Amino acid sequence: QLHLQESGPGLVKPSETLSLTCTVSGGSITNTNYYWGWIRRPPGKGLEWIGTTYKTGESFYNPSLKSRVTVSLDIFNNQFSLKLSSVTAADTAVFYCAREVAAATDQFYGMDVWGPGTTVIVSS
Amino acid sequence: DIQMTQSPSSVSASVGGRVTITCRASQGIGTWLAWYQQRPGEAPKLLIYAASRLQTGVPSRFSGSGSGTYFTLTISSLQPEDFTSYYCQQAHSFPRSFGQGTKVEIK
């Protein structure tokens, strides 16, 4: 059974870079049928998609975050990561990693496996 | 980019009752829509994919319908564990987008 687990610092200072890793166990991140993404939920707000990556190295980003975000794969360690630069208090959130199912080329079923989430607070 | 508009933002119902949540896309997305449930302190859980297909293990009181720009999630015979938050998400194209969320509360 596939399991995802987020890891990284729980506290980041303003203007610094937030770095999180999602470790995938029970399956390979190079599987053709799956994409790998990051989603966050700020306190008191709804879900916000951050970005998604695929085994080819192609990545897609939320336009509102695109200038600050990088999502990438580490195939050797079966992990994928999120880097968000120049953080402010507005980036405080619970961050989730998730697997997205590709039904076919450019057709997707949604995110069927999620990590438990990790809280990141931006504060000095 | 596709915008998702979900309504209502909150709804009250009784145990055993029925609620319907709607989600509108700013442009046609076929049936590439997913619904999620999120309980406090937990990760979101996929309920419905491809607009109307029930994810494995999800109770049959959950149902989805729609295509194009208009979608609904219906929960019939509400159980105590169903009183929580729900989100739609378009899976048609990047960038992905979620609806604003609906909180189902006990009347």
Side-chain angles (χ1 to χ4, degrees):
Chain A
Q1 183 176 357
L2 194 82
H3 181 73
L4 276 62
Q5 180 67 55
E6 304 90 351
S7 60
L11 180 65
V12 181
K13 289 183 168 55
S15 80
E16 295 188 345
T17 295
L18 179 162
S19 295
L20 296 176
T21 297
C22 183
T23 299
V24 179
S25 57
S28 172
I29 61 172
T30 61
N31 187 304
T32 301
N33 297 322
Y34 303 120
Y35 285 56
W36 308 92
W38 289 94
I39 302 93
R40 68 181 181 180
R41 185 172 182 182
K45 296 186 177 182
L47 297 171
E48 180 182 32
W49 175 76
I50 300 170
T52 295
T53 192
Y54 186 54
K55 66 172 186 175
T56 57
E58 188 175 19
S59 297
F60 309 88
Y61 300 119
N62 186 319
S64 69
L65 302 170
K66 190 171 184 176
S67 64
R68 300 194 290 130
V69 68
T70 301
V71 177
S72 58
L73 290 177
D74 177 355
I75 293 174
F76 181 78
N77 289 305
N78 216 41
Q79 298 174 330
F80 60 106
S81 65
L82 167 69
K83 293 188 186 301
L84 182 65
S85 64
S86 304
V87 296
T88 69
D91 294 308
T92 293
V94 179
F95 286 78
Y96 301 97
C97 59
R99 181 181 80 172
E100 185 165 13
V101 183
T105 301
D106 294 331
Q107 297 178 344
F108 296 85
Y109 283 149
M111 302 171 199
D112 68 333
V113 181
W114 294 66
T118 187
T119 298
V120 178
I121 297 172
V122 178
S123 175
S124 55
Chain B
D1 300 351
I2 299 172
Q3 312 303 317
M4 305 303 293
T5 303
Q6 190 174 335
S7 62
S9 57
S10 65
V11 60
S12 297
S14 302
V15 173
R18 176 188 180 102
V19 295
T20 296
I21 300 167
T22 65
C23 188
R24 294 181 186 270
S26 60
Q27 64 189 72
I29 60 171
T31 57
W32 302 111
L33 183 103
W35 288 98
Y36 301 88
Q37 175 191 68
Q38 187 174 29
R39 297 192 175 111
E42 297 183 6
K45 172 187 174 183
L46 179 64
L47 298 176
I48 302 282
Y49 63 95
S52 62
R53 297 170 70 171
L54 203 64
Q55 176 71 349
T56 301
V58 174
S60 59
R61 63 181 181 272
F62 292 92
S63 63
S65 67
S67 66
T69 63
Y70 183 77
F71 303 87
T72 63
L73 172 70
T74 297
I75 315 170
S76 60
S77 188
L78 280 159
Q79 299 301 299
E81 61 268 29
D82 300 336
F83 292 92
T84 188
S85 297
Y86 296 85
Y87 296 88
C88 62
Q89 177 239 323
Q90 64 86 8
H92 174 271
S93 58
F94 291 106
R96 297 283 187 254
S97 44
F98 288 90
Q100 301 92 325
T102 296
K103 188 172 184 179
V104 178
E105 299 173 311
I106 297 179
K107 183 182 288 184

